[in-house]
Amino acid sequence: MDLLNGVMSLDLGDGIMFLIAAGLVYLAVVKGYEPMLLLPIGFGAILANIPLAAEEGLRPLHILREIGIGTELFPLLVFTGVGAMIDFGPLLKNPRMLLFGGAAQFGIFMTLSVAVLMGFSLKEAAAIGIIGAADGPTAIFVANKFAKDLVAPITVAAYTYMALVPIIQPPVIRLLTTKAERRIRMDFYEQPVSKKVKILFPIIVTFIAGLIAPASVSLVGFLMFGNLLRESGVTDRLSKSAQNELVNIVTILLGITIGSTMTAESFLNLQTLMIIGMGLFAFVFDSAGGIIFAKVMNLFSKNKINPMVGAAGISAFPMAARVIQREAQIADPTNFLLMHAVSANVGGQIASIVAGGLILALIH
Amino acid sequence: MSELLIESFKVMGMGMLGIFVVVAIFYGTIVGLGKVFPADKE
């Protein structure tokens, strides 16, 4: 009879969680949405909801949760890999686009206030708002500091919406811009960037961010350390390891560990639904913030900016830039905004981490 | 609740201001570095 204990312990909550886990695996395998994260998360959720086994057989995952997420180690190691992958060149050639990275963080703070209105504490609201950073490791890092119990739904919402950027952004763009605005052409001048600038940039950014928002120094520092490995030109092996082996191994562990926290008791509640809803709200207002900021800049600028470029200021790279280019070509097949959009998108990657650091610094 | 909401608006204001201050400093840094180390001198 012992063999049937597991079967007899299955309940409706487990069943619903298996469906959710299957949904995540489906999105990863069939739709190709953020498969690197959603597949391990989905499988981790299956493991977490097998009755009895979840309590008795998953000690290794509990240990990984403590040492990898509890200490914020996993998101920071992922940042090292991401930093090694990022080429800041497009931003260094066109630094004005960094402004859109800043403006497109508006959704984070708007969502924070909405979450407070819906009854969440300020720290929980900040953790939910950070979904709008469109930056998985930052979302995990901040959520783990402020609302450990909400890490799983926040992570799932962040990665799912990042994958859905091509579906979320176009309606927002079309709602907030006229066809004439979407047809605005922007000249692009290729400004060469010296190697010294590429090497000094990550060091100086870490220094400045650390001084202004000390809480952000690990977030910014690990990202910029990875970038320094890439740009220094003398640590190719380390850079390649950070881009491949390190980030791959940590992503596997991070995904399955996050998934293992998705138990029916912790996930199936109204809070999770509210978090999923507010995550979408954050993404919409991030895009809107960037677009409206570009429109305001156009009031004072001689060289008009295509407002769609503002929406590329979210951190989801390179999806947001691709969406802008596609929308530009729909409005005018001969218009090319990709380089501007990529610059804004890279700016968003920096700004989202700064936003995470500022939230950590502002809320105690 | 209203105190918490006011606090959240403060975080919003300070956060967005902070982001633009940091972004402006980064912008100045990039422009400054570009002037000190122009690519055509390499």
Side-chain angles (χ1 to χ4, degrees), chain A residues 125-147:
Chain A
I128 294 166
I130 207 72
I131 294 171
D135 177 340
T138 302
I140 295 168
F141 189 89
V142 174
N144 189 61
K145 287 245 187 227
F146 283 166

Side-chain angles (χ1 to χ4, degrees), chain A residues 210-247:
Chain A
L211 286 180
I212 294 175
S216 74
V217 79
S218 52
L219 278 174
V220 178
F222 274 72
L223 182 87
M224 292 302 167
F225 170 59
N227 191 251
L228 185 60
L229 292 178
R230 173 198 176 96
E231 299 297 351
S232 68
V234 293
T235 52
D236 274 358
R237 266 175 47 209
L238 300 187
S239 171
K240 281 180 184 145
S241 294
Q243 290 179 43
N244 296 292
E245 291 85 355
L246 177 68
V247 85

Side-chain angles (χ1 to χ4, degrees), chain A residues 179-197:
Chain A
K179 196 160 187 188
E181 285 175 324
R182 293 198 292 276
R183 283 179 169 161
I184 292 175
R185 288 166 181 260
M186 294 170 69
D187 295 329
F188 182 75
Y189 304 103
E190 180 85 7
Q191 299 277 354
V193 179
S194 80
K195 189 172 166 58
K196 289 190 187 90
V197 173

Side-chain angles (χ1 to χ4, degrees), chain A:
Chain A
M1 279 306 279
D2 281 358
L3 287 175
L4 292 177
N5 279 353
V7 179
M8 302 302 282
S9 303
L10 275 171
D11 60 23
L12 181 64
D14 298 327
I16 295 172
M17 286 311 296
F18 289 140
L19 285 177
I20 292 173
L24 293 174
V25 172
Y26 172 82
L27 287 176
V29 176
V30 180
K31 296 285 182 183
Y33 291 165
E34 293 285 338
M36 306 287 185
L37 251 300
L38 292 188
L39 187 69
I41 289 176
F43 193 77
I46 293 171
L47 288 177
N49 289 284
I50 295 174
L52 307 181
E55 288 158 24
E56 295 167 10
L58 295 182
R59 183 150 169 72
L61 287 177
H62 297 170
I63 294 169
L64 280 177
R65 196 185 311 164
E66 278 168 34
I67 60 167
I69 298 177
T71 61
E72 288 113 26
L73 186 65
F74 284 170
L76 294 178
L77 290 176
V78 170
F79 263 132
T80 307
V82 172
M85 288 182 212
I86 296 180
D87 176 10
F88 285 126
L91 182 67
L92 298 173
K93 289 172 185 169
N94 196 3
R96 189 169 64 148
M97 292 296 133
L98 193 53
L99 292 170
F100 298 114
Q105 308 308 316
F106 178 64
I108 295 175
F109 298 100
M110 191 72 194
T111 308
L112 188 154
S113 293
V114 171
V116 165
L117 264 178
M118 294 179 89
F120 288 94
S121 73
L122 194 59
K123 284 189 172 181
E124 288 171 338
I128 294 166
I130 207 72
I131 294 171
D135 177 340
T138 302
I140 295 168
F141 189 89
V142 174
N144 189 61
K145 287 245 187 227
F146 283 166
K148 281 189 196 299
D149 294 342
L150 304 182
V151 170
I154 285 171
T155 306
V156 170
Y159 280 104
T160 306
Y161 290 135
M162 278 159 62
L164 294 176
V165 160
I167 295 167
I168 296 169
Q169 282 201 318
V172 181
I173 289 169
R174 287 172 204 167
L175 188 71
L176 293 175
T177 57
T178 63
K179 196 160 187 188
E181 285 175 324
R182 293 198 292 276
R183 283 179 169 161
I184 292 175
R185 288 166 181 260
M186 294 170 69
D187 295 329
F188 182 75
Y189 304 103
E190 180 85 7
Q191 299 277 354
V193 179
S194 80
K195 189 172 166 58
K196 289 190 187 90
V197 173
K198 286 190 166 185
I199 292 172
L200 285 171
F201 181 68
I203 298 171
I204 294 175
V205 162
T206 305
F207 190 68
I208 294 171
L211 286 180
I212 294 175
S216 74
V217 79
S218 52
L219 278 174
V220 178
F222 274 72
L223 182 87
M224 292 302 167
F225 170 59
N227 191 251
L228 185 60
L229 292 178
R230 173 198 176 96
E231 299 297 351
S232 68
V234 293
T235 52
D236 274 358
R237 266 175 47 209
L238 300 187
S239 171
K240 281 180 184 145
S241 294
Q243 290 179 43
N244 296 292
E245 291 85 355
L246 177 68
V247 85
N248 288 344
I249 290 168
V250 179
T251 301
I252 290 170
L253 298 177
L254 180 68
I256 199 161
T257 309
I258 296 275
S260 74
T261 66
M262 290 171 60
T263 56
E265 303 84 63
S266 66
F267 201 81
L268 292 182
N269 52 50
L270 186 61
Q271 266 193 345
T272 299
L273 280 179
M274 287 160 83
I275 289 167
I276 303 282
M278 282 186 285
L280 178 61
F281 182 88
F283 267 67
V284 167
F285 274 84
D286 274 347
S287 307
I291 293 167
I292 292 167
F293 184 74
K295 289 178 131 191
V296 172
M297 275 181 81
N298 277 346
L299 296 175
F300 306 100
S301 176
K302 235 187 336 181
N303 296 325
K304 297 296 177 205
I305 295 159
N306 189 313
M308 290 195 296
V309 170
I314 68 169
S315 177
F317 184 89
M319 270 100 71
R322 283 189 195 145
V323 168
I324 304 314
Q325 173 60 18
R326 200 185 62 198
E327 288 298 306
Q329 300 238 293
I330 289 171
D332 174 358
T334 60
N335 196 3
F336 290 92
L337 293 178
L338 188 63
M339 289 312 289
H340 297 284
V342 166
S343 302
N345 212 178
V346 175
Q349 290 187 295
I350 296 181
S352 67
I353 298 171
V354 171
L358 284 169
I359 280 187
L360 291 174
L362 289 168
I363 298 173
H364 302 286

Side-chain angles (χ1 to χ4, degrees), chain A residues 95-96 98 102-103 105 109 112-113 116-117 122 192 194-197 200-201 204-205 208 212 350 355 358 362, chain B residues 1 4-5 7-9 11-12 14-16 18-20 22-23 25-27 29-31 33-34 37-39 42:
Chain A
R96 189 169 64 148
L98 193 53
Q105 308 308 316
F109 298 100
L112 188 154
S113 293
V116 165
L117 264 178
L122 194 59
S194 80
K195 189 172 166 58
K196 289 190 187 90
V197 173
L200 285 171
F201 181 68
I204 294 175
V205 162
I208 294 171
I212 294 175
I350 296 181
L358 284 169
L362 289 168
Chain B
M1 168 66 89
L4 208 54
L5 196 58
E7 192 64 29
S8 75
F9 286 140
V11 172
M12 187 196 291
M14 292 294 290
M16 285 310 290
I19 284 178
F20 278 112
V22 175
V23 159
I25 294 171
F26 287 172
Y27 174 82
T29 304
I30 295 170
V31 173
L33 282 173
F37 302 109
E42 282 194 337

